[in-house]
Amino acid sequence: MTQFVFWTLSGVAILGALLCITGRNPVMSALSLVLTLFALAGIYVLFDAHFIAVMQIIVYAGAIMVLFLFVIMLLNVGRPDAGSDVKGKVGKFWAGFLGAALIAEMAAMWRLLPGESFRLPAGTLAGLTAQRGAVGLIAEPLFRAYLVPFEITSVLLLAAVVGAVVLAKRKL
Amino acid sequence: MLLGPALAVSAILFSIGVAGVLLRRNAIIIFMCVELMLNAVNLTFIALAQQLGPEGQVFVFFVMAVAAAEAAVGLAIIIAIYRHRQTLDLQYINLLRG
């Protein structure tokens, strides 16, 4: 059952990604990417990352992709008369070649999984989730070992907000 | 054991993202391909976190925060460029080419 759900969601994710890079209309590309993000959220649940799955839907599929769609509609790109923005033969060749080369490289590392001695016993993360809750599982390392990076992230987001407002203003 | 297949799916998604960056000229779509690559890496983190401990999920949290910041600033830059050039085609945005 898990296998079936995993492969279905993987197929949907890859299909959405392909539609995203081949779609002629930017709005269709964005919505295909939303499909991929939702499928990935489902895969996260299979890997016992419940909190991250919810964050994926709220932050990525919700906030970030709405931002993309908003900009697409604000700038009115992808008008029917605009023509395709897909590159010519040379661009297609390089895109296909480098994509295939990347897949081949990573297929060579297919068997390179972490050694048995590093792995947790099966079901450890599910047990931890049941014990601490889906949020507590993330919160405990986040607010202890990674507290300083967490605070730096807040500074980063503040800088991004200020930067976005300044850059998007009509007159600098 | 879905770790191997998950890494394979992640590799495929990343490669699709790279191909998309090379294939398209629209700045917004290239941006979405970058998001796709970030998500492929997130999948790797999540798949390995199940085996190696929950710290991997914390890293995904940080990647999401950085992606949100990147999307906000990047789209603001795209809006600013569009206002100056009236185009999003990277063929015509070559100020640094010399």
Side-chain angles (χ1 to χ4, degrees):
Chain A
M1 184 62 194
T2 310
Q3 293 272 339
F4 173 74
V5 174
F6 174 79
W7 287 113
T8 310
L9 289 173
S10 303
V12 171
I14 291 171
L15 182 75
L18 284 174
L19 285 176
C20 173
I21 69 165
T22 52
R24 183 168 275 243
N25 189 340
V27 177
M28 284 306 295
S29 284
L31 292 179
S32 311
L33 192 57
V34 170
L35 184 70
T36 302
L37 298 178
F38 265 97
L40 280 175
I43 294 177
Y44 292 173
V45 172
L46 291 182
F47 283 96
D48 298 321
H50 306 278
F51 180 67
I52 295 293
V54 174
M55 291 304 288
Q56 168 93 358
I57 291 174
I58 294 176
V59 174
Y60 254 118
I64 295 183
M65 291 319 292
V66 166
L67 197 62
F68 272 95
L69 280 175
F70 187 72
V71 170
I72 290 171
M73 291 174 183
L74 182 72
L75 301 184
N76 195 19
V77 288
R79 288 177 297 265
D81 57 316
S84 175
D85 69 315
V86 177
K87 284 182 187 168
K89 277 209 176 73
V90 180
K92 274 180 186 156
F93 168 75
W94 280 112
F97 176 73
L98 284 177
L102 262 178
I103 290 182
E105 270 178 21
M106 289 194 252
M109 296 190 288
W110 167 258
R111 298 284 166 207
L112 215 63
L113 298 178
E116 286 293 336
S117 56
F118 292 106
R119 294 197 201 177
L120 300 171
T124 305
L125 210 62
L128 277 177
T129 310
Q131 189 189 341
R132 293 190 205 152
V135 181
L137 187 74
I138 306 278
E140 208 268 328
L142 184 63
F143 292 117
R144 283 184 198 277
Y146 297 100
L147 183 61
V148 176
F150 177 75
E151 297 293 344
I152 294 173
T153 308
S154 65
V155 176
L156 173 76
L157 285 174
L158 178 68
V161 169
V162 175
V165 170
V166 170
L167 281 172
K169 259 169 70 169
R170 193 160 282 277
K171 285 189 176 169
L172 289 175
Chain B
M1 278 297 100
L2 289 170
L3 177 58
L7 295 183
V9 170
S10 161
I12 292 171
L13 285 179
F14 192 91
S15 307
I16 292 174
V18 171
V21 168
L22 294 169
L23 188 67
R24 304 299 291 259
R25 284 197 309 250
N26 189 325
I28 289 182
I29 292 179
I30 287 179
F31 223 62
M32 287 197 282
C33 292
V34 173
E35 298 288 330
L36 184 62
M37 285 191 267
L38 285 170
N39 268 283
V41 174
N42 280 354
L43 178 59
T44 309
F45 271 125
I46 294 281
L48 286 169
Q50 197 193 26
Q51 306 280 322
L52 304 175
E55 277 83 3
Q57 299 186 9
V58 177
F59 280 117
V60 174
F61 192 79
F62 287 129
V63 171
M64 278 187 186
V66 172
E70 174 235 350
V73 174
L75 289 172
I77 291 174
I78 285 177
I79 290 177
I81 287 175
Y82 188 80
R83 200 168 279 146
H84 279 280
R85 292 290 177 98
Q86 306 299 320
T87 180
L88 286 179
D89 197 328
L90 293 185
Q91 206 176 16
Y92 304 113
I93 304 171
N94 51 8
L95 205 62
L96 286 177
R97 195 171 278 173

